Amino acid sequence: MTTIIDGDRIAGEIRGALEESIGALADHGVTPGLATVLVGDDPASQTYVNMKQRDCEEVGINGIHVDIDGDASPEELYDTIEELNADPEVHGYLVQDPVPEQIDYREVLRRIDPAKDADGFHPENVGRLVAGNARFKPCTPHGIQKLFSEYDIETEGADVTVVGRSDIVGKPMANLLMQKSQGGNATVTVCHSRTENLAEKTRRADVVIAACGVTELIDGSMISEGATVIDVGISRVETDSEKGYELVGDVDFESAKEKAGAITPVPGGVGPMTRAMLLYNTVKAASESEGVPVELP
Ligand code: NAD
């Protein structure tokens, strides 16, 4: 029987535990604060920041949102970044990607105070992660590691194929998996758009992590019997439904499910974990910067 990995349930448990951590911080007069910065009015980005703000409200994090005009100069955004770096109520923040073309996202990341870098994308935090000394793990790979531990999916000694080499998912995921630590110790293959014979690399894996943004690229014929399949992809595909679209992953769920030992659905798999781990990073940032140790899930 294939296990359907329930990201909604695990994320709910993590959020419940974080509410307790937030209560413990409140006993010391600390309310964690997360700011989101949106430059422009990209509808998908607006949806994402709205969800992040709603998540904050639900668990008792002080959510602060800053909207910046899509025509703003880089300097205007840098001023906001300086204000957030200096604001004692803001323990963590992020600038929603993508940013308009006049703005260099790498330069934006570089200016964020690494101690407030809720996404874990600042070069210092990337370096720490690679060195095996992460301060903030990027939310999606961290959430996937949590799913592995909750479902007793052993990574030690496992062959893991990661499909995608983005800075936010593929690269940090591969790095975490290869580390000599719990949730790591895997033998990792990283595939990308120039990879040849992709199916050969996914078929030999005990765990396949699909993060390429190509709808249903990975099907059952590319999975070995009993493998774990983690689908990170989220693409909006237009349909005749009331909403006008449905969310589709990078895995052909129906055929992959026939072969997989465990598989994440879309939606309800990795997505809610990513959201929960952003809250986790915010609580961690508040705890560390305020010098109030609390238990984290
Ligand atoms: P990206 O879009 O920045 O890059 C895609 C990566 O996939 C690249 O490294 C590219 O080399 C690789 N790729 C593209 N086509 C390929 C192919 N045919 N074969 C093999 N590799 C290929 O990546 P991203 O930002 O990591 O996003 C990937 C997907 O994950 C998107 O659908 C995105 O919406 C989704 N996503 C979901 C979550 C979540 O919480 N579930 C979080 C982040 C991203």
Side-chain angles (χ1 to χ4, degrees):
M1 252 267 295
T2 308
T3 301
I4 309 298
I5 296 175
D6 189 346
D8 280 324
R9 178 174 67 80
I10 305 299
E13 288 171 11
I14 290 172
R15 289 162 61 125
L18 285 173
E19 284 181 49
E20 287 183 23
S21 319
I22 292 164
L25 285 170
D27 292 342
H28 292 81
V30 175
T31 305
L34 176 75
T36 50
V37 180
L38 179 61
V39 191
D41 54 7
D42 175 63
S45 294
Q46 265 171 343
T47 306
Y48 288 135
V49 293
N50 288 344
M51 285 191 318
K52 290 168 189 178
Q53 289 296 334
R54 201 175 59 219
D55 290 343
C56 285
E57 199 179 321
E58 283 173 8
V59 299
I61 288 174
N62 179 22
I64 299 149
H65 180 65
V66 183
D67 264 318
I68 296 186
D69 197 273
D71 296 330
S73 67
E75 286 67 30
E76 284 175 67
L77 175 58
Y78 300 159
D79 286 346
T80 299
I81 289 176
E82 267 179 41
E83 283 166 24
L84 294 171
N85 284 345
D87 187 339
E89 285 192 9
V90 174
H91 298 98
Y93 70 97
L94 59 93
V95 177
Q96 187 68 39
D97 192 37
V99 289
E101 61 185 9
Q102 76 274 18
I103 291 167
D104 175 358
Y105 189 59
R106 281 175 193 260
E107 181 57 25
V108 169
L109 293 178
R110 208 182 59 72
R111 286 172 183 257
I112 292 174
D113 177 349
K116 295 191 176 189
D117 174 30
D119 271 336
F121 297 161
H122 185 283
E124 180 183 310
N125 288 323
V126 174
R128 287 180 61 146
L129 181 135
V130 173
N133 176 32
R135 178 197 267 140
F136 301 118
K137 293 183 185 178
C139 303
T140 303
H142 193 189
I144 293 170
Q145 274 194 318
K146 291 278 182 201
L147 290 178
F148 289 154
S149 66
E150 290 294 330
Y151 279 86
D152 292 326
I153 294 163
E154 186 55 80
T155 56
E156 180 162 334
D159 284 314
V160 181
T161 295
V162 179
V163 185
R165 58 176 164 189
S166 72
D167 291 343
I168 65 168
V169 186
K171 281 186 207 164
M173 186 78 254
N175 263 302
L176 288 170
L177 284 164
M178 76 170 88
Q179 280 169 13
K180 194 174 180 179
S181 59
Q182 215 189 343
N185 290 316
T187 304
V188 185
T189 302
V190 180
C191 300
H192 45 76
S193 51
R194 308 287 172 90
T195 295
E196 292 188 2
N197 300 324
L198 178 66
E200 187 188 288
K201 277 91 179 167
T202 54
R203 246 182 246 131
R204 67 171 186 229
D206 304 306
V207 178
V208 175
I209 300 175
C212 56
V214 182
T215 54
E216 299 183 337
L217 178 70
I218 311 293
D219 66 23
S221 73
M222 299 168 73
I223 302 293
S224 73
E225 200 69 53
T228 297
V229 180
I230 304 293
D231 190 354
V232 179
I234 309 176
S235 302
R236 275 187 186 204
V237 173
E238 282 184 29
T239 60
D240 295 334
S241 69
E242 209 177 302
K243 269 197 298 188
Y245 68 89
E246 69 173 311
L247 298 179
V248 180
D250 292 347
V251 174
D252 173 23
F253 184 79
E254 289 308 322
S255 69
K257 187 176 68 143
E258 296 303 312
K259 296 279 276 299
I263 186 167
T264 59
V266 174
V270 174
M273 296 300 293
T274 299
R275 289 166 62 181
M277 300 328 286
L278 179 65
L279 305 175
Y280 175 105
N281 278 350
T282 306
V283 175
K284 184 173 194 284
S287 162
E288 289 176 1
S289 66
E290 299 283 355
V292 181
V294 291
E295 264 190 56
L296 291 168

